[in-house]
Amino acid sequence: MRFVSFRSGDYASFGAIKDDGIVDVGKMLGGGRGSPLTLGATLRGGLLPRALELAAAREPSVALDEIRYLPTVPDPEKLVCIGINYGNRNEEYKDGAEAPKYPSVFMRTPGSLVGHNEPIVKPPESEQLDYEGEIALVIGKEGRRIAERDAWSHVAGLSLMNEGTVRDWLRHSKFNVTPGKNFERSGSFGPWLVTADEFRDGQEFHLTTRVNGELRQDDTTANMIFSFAKLIAYLSSFMRLLPGDVIATGTPTGAGARFDPPKYLRTGDLVEVHVPGIGTLSNPIADDVP
């Protein structure tokens, strides 16, 4: 099942995609009184099974071509990102370092991400806006100190992320990537959540990123240093993972900064992140207008 968070005028909700329409599950779960539940609230309330039942039993009431996409989970408690998690990406740094023993972890704010088809904005403070195509895990069941063998049972589903980065702002201070990873609307998250029952535990995924149709990133999760299960086990060793939390699992080699000369994003570019079975996350690049 695919669940999409959306806006239509001043109305915001989430629902299940059927053909060319959306079953407005958020409205049904909210009691139909004008206060739809978000996908995040649905997951935190343990209501995903009910959402699946409603989606299967009802017909679409919203046209897919009349919405604006919101980030898959607009209201996560935590948005955790993993750096340098593909073997070839680690080698890009050419510092002679061996593969890391532990994941590189940092956080993003929800406001740094937009939905599918929405413009990612290029800030006037930098000429180094870059793309990073990633698979995002959405947590469906609370857990602490989760064993690797149990990790998949804590996943509600998968989505995609363009973990947009302002490169020069990563280096404003030692050990400080936060500014460059959190410019408002500098990345994207979508187009929807594909529920975990659509996949196998340990399934391999093929991720590509294109800019204006040019293939820039092309790799599979078989080359990950830390698998989905290892990431969930590691993160839950020091933080409690809650339903609706998001884990961006790392990007392959081929980001714009790694070309000579670098290929940073420019106004008018179109970035497409694609994984078969999940979908395509597409975003144009626009100037940030104050």
Side-chain angles (χ1 to χ4, degrees):
M1 185 76 70
R2 291 176 297 166
F3 285 113
V4 61
S5 296
F6 67 92
R7 179 178 297 281
S8 179
D10 293 331
Y11 177 79
S13 185
F14 87 95
I17 297 175
K18 277 189 175 181
D19 300 321
D20 295 327
I22 300 171
V23 180
D24 191 349
V25 177
K27 182 177 182 180
M28 298 175 197
L29 292 175
R33 294 184 295 272
S35 299
L37 289 191
T38 64
L39 181 53
T42 298
L43 293 171
R44 288 188 289 273
L47 295 173
L48 183 58
R50 179 58 177 156
L52 289 165
E53 291 175 2
L54 290 169
R58 304 298 179 89
E59 293 302 314
S61 60
V62 181
L64 194 57
D65 62 2
E66 294 179 356
I67 67 162
R68 293 180 64 177
Y69 290 80
L70 296 174
T72 301
V73 181
D75 54 342
E77 184 193 80
K78 294 187 286 295
L79 211 166
V80 187
C81 299
I82 306 299
I84 317 174
N85 194 30
Y86 284 77
N88 295 337
R89 181 100 201 280
N90 188 59
E91 294 167 7
E92 276 187 329
Y93 284 79
K94 300 177 182 179
D95 57 3
E98 297 179 355
K101 293 182 179 180
Y102 305 103
S104 172
V105 181
F106 56 93
M107 309 292 285
R108 283 192 82 121
T109 61
S112 69
L113 301 172
V114 299
H116 174 58
N117 284 344
E118 293 295 308
I120 289 173
V121 298
K122 179 178 171 294
E125 290 83 3
S126 174
E127 293 296 321
Q128 296 186 16
L129 177 64
D130 207 351
Y131 54 87
E132 293 190 3
E134 309 196 13
I135 296 171
L137 305 175
V138 177
I139 298 300
K141 183 172 71 173
E142 179 179 342
R144 178 82 200 281
R145 300 188 178 96
I146 301 166
E148 288 183 34
R149 65 180 179 274
D150 299 325
W152 189 248
S153 69
H154 289 261
V155 176
L158 304 181
S159 190
L160 300 176
M161 188 175 293
N162 179 354
E163 212 262 291
T165 302
V166 181
R167 294 291 175 196
D168 48 341
W169 281 65
L170 296 179
R171 297 180 290 274
H172 276 191
S173 183
K174 191 174 182 180
F175 306 129
N176 185 10
V177 303
T178 300
K181 292 290 188 177
N182 284 283
F183 269 79
E184 186 176 47
R185 296 178 292 159
S186 60
S188 59
F189 180 23
W192 41 62
L193 176 80
V194 183
T195 52
D197 60 305
E198 299 284 335
F199 309 108
R200 302 186 315 275
D201 185 2
Q203 180 173 335
E204 182 178 324
F205 296 93
H206 181 200
L207 184 149
T208 58
T209 305
R210 297 178 185 272
V211 179
N212 302 326
E214 178 188 3
L215 183 64
R216 298 283 185 87
Q217 296 183 294
D218 185 359
D219 210 339
T220 77
T221 52
N223 288 323
M224 278 186 164
I225 299 171
F226 302 100
S227 67
F228 294 166
K230 288 183 183 294
L231 292 176
I232 289 171
Y234 179 74
L235 294 171
S236 68
S237 67
F238 64 88
M239 68 169 70
R240 184 171 299 278
L241 293 178
L242 299 176
D245 286 349
V246 179
I247 303 170
T249 59
T251 197
T253 186
R258 297 301 161 184
F259 289 88
D260 186 14
K263 296 182 177 182
Y264 294 120
L265 296 171
R266 297 291 179 254
T267 301
D269 285 348
L270 179 70
V271 184
E272 297 170 295
V273 181
H274 176 72
V275 174
I278 302 178
T280 301
L281 172 63
S282 180
N283 299 93
I285 306 302
D287 286 327
D288 190 358
V289 179

